[in-house]
Amino acid sequence: MKKRFVTLIVTGVLVLSCAVTFAGDLPQAFIDGIRAYDAKNYSEAIEDFSQIVDSGVQNGKLFYNLANAYLKNGDTGHAVLWFERALRFMPDEPDLKFNLDYARSLVRDQAEEKENPLLRVAFFWKNLLSRTAIQWIAVVLNLVFWVLMILQLLVRKRSFKFPAAVVLIVAVIFTLTALYQFYESANVRHAVILADEVSVRSGLSADSTELFVLHSGTRVRIDKQMEQHYLIRFSEEKIGWVNISDIGVI
């Protein structure tokens, strides 16, 4: 593992927030987790941080710390899961992205569902910018458009028409992109394979036909839930059922 792999981020702000927010033994669990990680007792650190998570605390840095502990402990599946969850809270954190990319490099299954190259080129900003950046750009462009329209009404010159039209087109594109991302985050669920090896089957029973096998850390999409099983999609051709206990929802 490269030296750039980041150890736990310990800040006074986080410790203070723990002391204010957590009840009972949770502040001590956080401190114990820090000490256990520094002492390379990663299993103990996982237990301490998980105690805080199980209490209902939602915090990106806490998830990031837990992911680091899992990664150091050799559990790629849980590491990828918690890095992905942390990314929802800290989408622009470079160290988090670096560590997530490293964890993904350890996954045996390579994603087969590729985005259309033409769409990737046409919507290049979707891959270069974070969701927050796209949302702010959409807001700013809409404001600029209306400023140009107001100036045109006040000055009564056609010189504002062309730039206003250009800004409007770009604003619509970014607004639609932001709306699609909002829809995707609200309606499309993804998950990570946690078990070392999972048989994806054609049905809900253990004796259903095995369609293919996925391994720890693989990212999949959840299409449906029935009883204690998820219908997952790894690619357009690879769809099947797995037990809920074998995956973690991001």
Side-chain angles (χ1 to χ4, degrees):
M1 188 181 302
K2 296 183 178 180
K3 290 184 178 179
R4 188 179 170 185
F5 182 87
V6 181
T7 57
L8 294 173
I9 298 176
V10 186
T11 64
V13 175
L14 184 54
V15 173
L16 179 61
S17 67
C18 289
V20 173
T21 306
F22 302 163
D25 297 330
L26 295 185
Q28 187 60 47
F30 179 80
I31 296 172
D32 290 344
I34 296 292
R35 290 173 177 169
Y37 186 95
D38 289 340
K40 299 184 178 181
N41 296 326
Y42 303 120
S43 295
E44 184 178 334
I46 290 170
E47 182 178 345
D48 291 327
F49 291 134
S50 295
Q51 180 183 347
I52 302 172
V53 171
D54 291 342
S55 71
V57 175
Q58 301 283 314
N59 183 283
K61 289 183 178 179
L62 174 62
F63 293 174
Y64 176 54
N65 290 344
L66 181 56
N68 282 338
Y70 271 118
L71 188 57
K72 286 285 192 178
N73 204 42
D75 189 336
T76 304
H78 282 89
V80 172
L81 173 64
W82 287 104
F83 279 136
E84 291 275 12
R85 288 176 174 175
L87 196 64
R88 290 180 174 268
F89 292 87
M90 304 187 298
D92 300 315
E93 176 58 47
D95 291 329
L96 168 57
K97 292 179 179 179
F98 179 87
N99 289 358
L100 175 56
D101 287 341
Y102 175 79
R104 285 171 175 167
S105 72
L106 304 176
V107 178
R108 292 178 57 180
D109 306 311
Q110 296 300 317
E112 299 178 3
E113 191 169 12
K114 301 295 183 181
E115 187 176 8
N116 188 303
L118 294 178
L119 291 178
R120 179 175 291 273
V121 173
F123 299 96
F124 64 91
W125 61 86
K126 183 175 178 288
N127 302 301
L128 293 177
L129 302 173
S130 67
R131 291 185 178 184
T132 303
I134 290 175
Q135 291 168 6
W136 275 109
I137 291 174
V139 171
V140 170
L141 287 173
N142 277 280
L143 289 175
V144 171
F145 168 75
W146 286 109
V147 168
L148 290 173
M149 292 299 295
I150 292 172
L151 287 174
Q152 182 177 329
L153 291 174
L154 293 176
V155 180
R156 296 186 179 279
K157 289 186 177 181
R158 294 186 177 182
S159 57
F160 291 105
K161 280 191 174 182
F162 179 74
V166 173
V167 170
L168 176 61
I169 292 172
V170 180
V172 169
I173 292 173
F174 273 87
T175 300
L176 291 176
T177 303
L179 289 173
Y180 173 76
Q181 290 179 333
F182 177 79
Y183 168 82
E184 186 179 40
S185 63
N187 297 280
V188 180
R189 291 194 299 169
H190 290 90
V192 175
I193 301 295
L194 301 179
D196 290 339
E197 185 175 284
V198 172
S199 294
V200 184
R201 302 186 179 276
S202 60
L204 306 184
S205 63
D207 58 354
S208 297
T209 303
E210 181 183 277
L211 302 176
F212 55 96
V213 174
L214 295 177
H215 302 86
S216 178
T218 301
R219 196 174 192 265
V220 297
R221 193 180 82 184
I222 298 175
D223 285 352
K224 186 187 298 184
Q225 178 179 352
M226 287 187 63
E227 300 177 3
Q228 293 300 307
H229 292 79
Y230 284 130
L231 179 65
I232 63 168
R233 180 187 300 268
F234 179 60
S235 68
E236 287 301 323
E237 297 77 23
K238 292 189 174 182
I239 306 171
W241 295 92
V242 297
N243 195 288
I244 285 179
S245 62
D246 289 331
I247 67 175
V249 180
I250 298 173

